[in-house]
Amino acid sequence: MKAVVTVMPKQSVLDPQGAAVAQAMQHHGLEAVGKVRVGKSIEIDLPAGVDESKLHELCRDLLSNPVIEDYSLEIAD
Amino acid sequence: MKFAVLQFPGSNCDQDCITALHSFEGADAGYVWHKDTSLSGYDAVIVPGGFSYGDYLRCGAISQFSPIMGAVKEFAANGGPVLGICNGFQILCESGLLPGALVRNRDLHFLCQDVHLRVESTDSRFTKGSAVGAVLRVPIAHGEGCYFADDATLHDLQQNDQILVRYCDEHGDINQASNPNGSCLNIAGIRNREGNVFGLMPHPERACDALLGSTDGRVIFDSLLA
């Protein structure tokens, strides 16, 4: 099975990288671009039957920092 | 006083710390590898700057789980002084020894320059030898030094006098222009509530010798050694 963890900066945290990307998109002709936020996506190969609560624990304690980021976990078979 | 200077793969200010410490009377210092599990024989811990684990995932995210960090937490819980500089500050925040987090600089640039810091509190083992309002000139060198914490945490930091140094101009005025990286409240360094753990982004160990342009960083080590 495969897990995909998406980590995004919290709405309350300034994302200067996203702002810079939005500006670059405007310069490349998409004047109407709205807010852009940059996060990361982590793909993890796992054996079948891995404890999902353990995965959430790792998402919270290692893969994201709850002070500044939110994560979502998607598991595909 | 014997200082343990931690070494993670990617630490690069460890030798600066040892060299600086050797210029203080009464200070002895030794390296402690991140895979060690004991701080026995040491009286203080420095988590130095650098790019531990290549800053992979987030700055300090992987180092927080190094074997030595268990001993650092125990050392801190027993009241031992712990000083985190730059990447060391990031590691202390990631490991929960200090509140908040360090994120990308407001303008996205890596900043390598001298800054001015205003001492906000002398109620700590790290600043007791200074004076409130004193202005220190100390270098910074970081890409992720923008201190962030939610409003409740910032409120607590202020209430408990935990903000030890803030970015200011050469006159000691704190304003947006003197905030190099966008940190909340111009925060450059904070202590824990108990007062024995201090983290800051600037490098006091690089401001301990007149040859390097400033000796203003010495007050932090002098305070610890007093």
Side-chain angles (χ1 to χ4, degrees):
Chain A
M1 65 191 243
K2 191 170 231 134
V4 179
V5 180
T6 305
V7 180
M8 294 299 294
K10 275 189 195 296
Q11 290 290 352
S12 55
V13 176
L14 193 71
D15 178 18
Q17 204 179 178
V21 171
Q23 211 172 33
M25 290 176 74
Q26 278 177 345
H27 289 156
H28 281 76
L30 190 65
E31 296 284 334
V33 70
K35 190 176 176 185
V36 175
R37 290 162 68 241
V38 177
K40 60 189 125 185
S41 177
I42 304 164
E43 286 184 8
I44 309 160
D45 287 330
L46 292 161
V50 163
D51 181 3
E52 214 174 298
S53 65
K54 181 70 190 171
L55 267 179
H56 276 287
E57 185 189 314
L58 288 174
C59 285
R60 196 188 56 233
D61 296 345
L62 173 66
L63 300 181
S64 75
N65 178 347
V67 175
I68 46 172
E69 294 165 331
D70 295 318
Y71 77 88
S72 62
L73 171 64
E74 232 176 281
I75 294 175
D77 291 327
Chain B
M1 181 180 261
K2 189 162 185 191
F3 289 79
V5 177
L6 306 191
Q7 284 184 308
F8 297 88
S11 295
N12 67 9
C13 300
D14 40 341
Q15 291 185 38
D16 302 45
C17 286
I18 296 264
T19 303
L21 286 167
H22 281 153
S23 71
F24 289 87
E25 207 176 318
D28 190 10
Y31 296 115
V32 174
W33 183 235
H34 75 117
K35 286 197 171 162
D36 289 344
T37 52
S38 167
L39 289 163
S40 140
Y42 289 101
D43 309 301
V45 173
I46 296 188
V47 192
F51 299 85
S52 58
Y53 288 94
D55 281 351
Y56 297 157
L57 207 53
R58 298 176 307 281
C59 305
I62 298 178
S63 326
Q64 64 169 314
F65 296 110
S66 277
I68 195 60
M69 289 310 292
V72 172
K73 283 180 182 169
E74 196 184 320
F75 187 84
N78 290 328
V82 178
L83 171 62
I85 302 167
C86 196
N87 187 220
F89 184 17
Q90 295 164 338
I91 294 170
L92 294 181
C93 286
E94 281 283 341
S95 63
L97 283 167
L98 290 172
L102 284 313
V103 298
R104 267 309 261 285
N105 293 344
R106 175 188 51 205
D107 299 328
L108 296 169
H109 297 293
F110 186 95
L111 297 171
C112 187
Q113 65 193 57
D114 279 358
V115 295
H116 293 92
L117 305 175
R118 193 172 81 183
V119 176
E120 296 292 301
S121 167
T122 53
D123 182 21
S124 83
R125 299 174 71 162
F126 308 91
T127 52
K128 66 182 181 197
S130 188
V132 172
V135 176
L136 313 177
R137 187 163 58 84
V138 177
I140 56 169
H142 60 242
E144 283 89 2
C146 173
Y147 182 78
F148 175 85
D150 61 29
D151 290 340
T153 304
L154 292 174
H155 178 77
D156 283 351
L157 288 174
Q158 290 175 292
Q159 285 295 306
N160 301 320
D161 214 14
Q162 287 174 253
I163 303 171
L164 298 190
V165 280
R166 294 168 74 191
Y167 299 109
C168 65
D169 64 20
E170 71 249 55
H171 309 296
D173 291 329
I174 289 169
N175 47 50
Q176 269 313 301
S178 63
N179 187 345
N181 52 27
S183 291
C184 292
L185 303 177
N186 281 45
I187 287 174
I190 53 165
R191 66 165 170 83
N192 63 349
R193 196 176 280 212
E194 294 74 22
N196 63 311
V197 179
F198 174 35
L200 76 171
M201 286 313 294
H203 287 271
E205 83 283 14
R206 295 190 195 172
C208 284
D209 189 323
L211 204 59
L212 296 177
S214 171
T215 55
D216 291 356
R218 293 187 72 86
V219 71
I220 304 224
F221 301 102
D222 279 332
S223 297
L224 259 176
L225 287 160

